[in-house]
Amino acid sequence: MKALILVGGFGTRLRPLTLTMPKPLVEFANKPMILHQIEALAEAGVTDIVLAVNYRPEVMVSILQKYEAQYGVKITFSVETEPLGTAGPLALARDILGKDDSPFFVLNSDVICDFPFQELKRFHQAHGNEGTIVVTKVEEPSKYGVIVNKADGSMIDRFVEKPVEFVGNKINAGIYIFNPAILDRIELKPTSIEQETFPKMAADSQLHSFTLEGFWMDVGQPKDFLTGTCLYLTNVNKTNPGALANPNCGYVHGGNVLVDPTAKIGKDCRIGPNVVIGPGVTIGDGVRLQRCVLLEGSSVKDFAWVKNTIVGWHSTIGRWARLEGTSVLGDYVTVKDEVYINGGSILPHKSISSNITEPQIIM
């Protein structure tokens, strides 16, 4: 089988992290975001993976070559000379996606969930039509484009953008499976699959919805990255609790704590709920961590307090410092002792010695 991952451009929504690292390689739960997807695709029998990108960072090429060998897949870069939207990349990769009659998966690179590729494939082949959209249920559908099915089952009737009155609560989850026939609908030009291709497929009674069970999140910006981390860790706690720190361990407070074995944690810490601690991280004594991510090589000194924060690679948080309010530190940032940061987005290699009391970007 084949798959196309829509990677896109420079990951501006996840800055400052993506100033250093291409977005697909930013670690989510101590694993590059794209690796969650590659593992799930390989497990479902996918052998050809196309990455639709606006640029081809060399660091990605070398790392993905390693994944090719590890997972037995062939990964091809499909580089756009101009942004092609969400449908154009399918036309650009036509030679691979249309090389045989088998269906292919398409997914957005920012999506994290329990990828149901096997079940999705069976469902798609059972209905026999051209396409299937994975949908997820949301509490506030008025914020989104809602998918409305025909009365008698899974076939999609129409799409309603930000409905004023309730018409349903299922939205596009950014994961699809298509027959190669869809390629005849898409020209090699900037095109939106959601606004241009899908309505025509629905009008032709060729599009179905598959409801995703369990958690889902688009983690393409810091606030959602942290929310997605919470959802992911809660799911791990249900499905593979042994991967998390033992809840009876002295420092774990509230559970859902994922710790790389190479991290060092001091005395009298309270960590959790919903914390990810990456490789080589050093945590001093009496540190309080909750709802945060500490990326590789970062350090938090004694008695610091960190909440709702992503700490970038090799950054240092000083003694008695306090960070909150969806703060994001790029790599090699230094926060001095006793500094307070509320919603700071701090670019790489900065040293912060005075308080940041209102959300702002520090350049």
Side-chain angles (χ1 to χ4, degrees):
M1 277 194 78
K2 308 149 290 188
L4 176 80
I5 302 177
L6 297 164
V7 175
F10 294 95
T12 52
R13 294 189 304 155
L14 203 53
R15 283 179 179 167
L17 299 176
T18 49
L19 293 171
T20 306
M21 186 77 77
K23 184 179 62 177
L25 299 184
V26 173
E27 295 94 342
F28 179 88
N30 285 345
K31 187 190 293 181
M33 279 161 60
I34 201 160
L35 186 51
H36 290 271
Q37 300 178 333
I38 290 172
E39 282 184 349
L41 288 167
E43 202 174 305
V46 170
T47 52
D48 285 286
I49 298 174
V50 181
L51 300 187
V53 293
N54 295 157
Y55 75 121
R56 187 173 180 264
E58 291 308 314
V59 63
M60 253 173 83
V61 176
S62 57
I63 289 175
L64 291 171
Q65 281 172 345
K66 187 177 75 176
Y67 296 157
E68 280 186 320
Q70 192 174 346
Y71 295 98
V73 295
K74 178 168 175 50
I75 299 173
T76 307
F77 283 85
S78 179
V79 185
E80 303 165 18
T81 53
E82 62 169 338
L84 290 173
T86 48
L90 278 71
L92 190 62
R94 174 188 292 270
D95 288 351
I96 295 174
L97 300 179
K99 70 178 182 178
D100 57 34
D101 292 336
S102 67
F104 58 87
F105 298 109
V106 175
L107 59 157
N108 294 338
S109 67
D110 297 346
V111 167
I112 204 82
C113 65
D114 248 355
F115 296 104
F117 293 126
Q118 301 270 27
E119 301 94 313
L120 178 58
K121 178 182 170 187
R122 285 194 290 269
F123 173 86
H124 177 76
Q125 289 176 325
H127 71 63
N129 290 131
E130 206 171 295
T132 306
I133 299 177
V134 176
V135 297
T136 185
K137 295 175 184 174
V138 293
E139 289 180 6
E140 292 186 56
S142 60
K143 290 181 178 175
Y144 303 93
V146 172
I147 292 172
V148 182
N149 283 0
K150 292 184 177 174
D152 55 352
S154 67
M155 189 172 283
I156 293 173
D157 180 46
R158 66 191 194 280
F159 301 85
V160 183
E161 191 60 37
K162 296 185 178 173
V164 178
E165 54 188 50
F166 186 85
V167 292
N169 64 347
K170 293 177 179 176
I171 66 165
N172 182 345
I175 303 169
Y176 321 112
I177 184 169
F178 301 122
N179 294 342
I182 192 180
L183 299 171
D184 297 333
R185 296 179 181 270
I186 301 169
E187 294 179 46
L188 184 54
K189 64 178 186 180
T191 315
S192 165
I193 201 166
E194 299 87 355
Q195 293 171 5
E196 297 175 63
T197 314
F198 287 164
K200 290 175 185 170
M201 291 173 73
D204 293 343
S205 300
Q206 287 293 321
L207 195 56
H208 291 252
S209 70
F210 171 94
T211 303
L212 179 68
E213 301 301 330
F215 78 103
W216 173 89
M217 182 56 65
D218 175 326
V219 296
Q221 52 192 1
K223 175 174 67 73
D224 297 332
F225 190 97
L226 289 167
T227 301
T229 297
C230 298
L231 295 170
Y232 178 86
L233 292 175
T234 300
N235 186 61
V236 172
N237 198 14
K238 288 179 192 159
T239 58
N240 184 21
L244 301 176
N246 188 329
N248 299 318
C249 175
Y251 60 79
V252 173
H253 181 74
N256 290 3
V257 177
L258 179 65
V259 183
D260 186 272
T262 60
K264 294 184 172 66
I265 297 172
K267 304 190 299 283
D268 303 322
C269 293
R270 280 166 74 90
I271 299 176
N274 299 313
V275 174
V276 175
I277 297 171
V281 169
T282 306
I283 295 167
D285 297 338
V287 168
R288 179 72 178 107
L289 303 175
Q290 52 189 313
R291 204 175 188 272
C292 62
V293 174
L294 277 55
L295 294 173
E296 181 174 0
S298 56
S299 67
V300 182
K301 294 189 176 175
D302 300 348
F303 309 111
W305 190 99
V306 183
K307 182 179 181 181
N308 283 336
T309 294
I310 304 171
V311 180
W313 306 273
H314 308 288
S315 287
T316 301
I317 295 172
R319 289 166 56 92
W320 295 103
R322 181 179 177 109
L323 282 72
E324 61 184 346
T326 315
S327 292
V328 187
L329 279 53
D331 67 325
Y332 290 98
V333 168
T334 302
V335 177
K336 298 291 189 181
D337 294 350
E338 301 180 21
V339 167
Y340 171 67
I341 297 177
N342 174 30
S345 180
I346 301 165
L347 271 62
H349 299 275
K350 295 292 170 194
S351 180
I352 306 298
S353 54
S354 54
N355 294 343
I356 300 170
T357 55
E358 297 290 330
Q360 59 181 286
I361 298 170
I362 305 297
M363 302 179 71

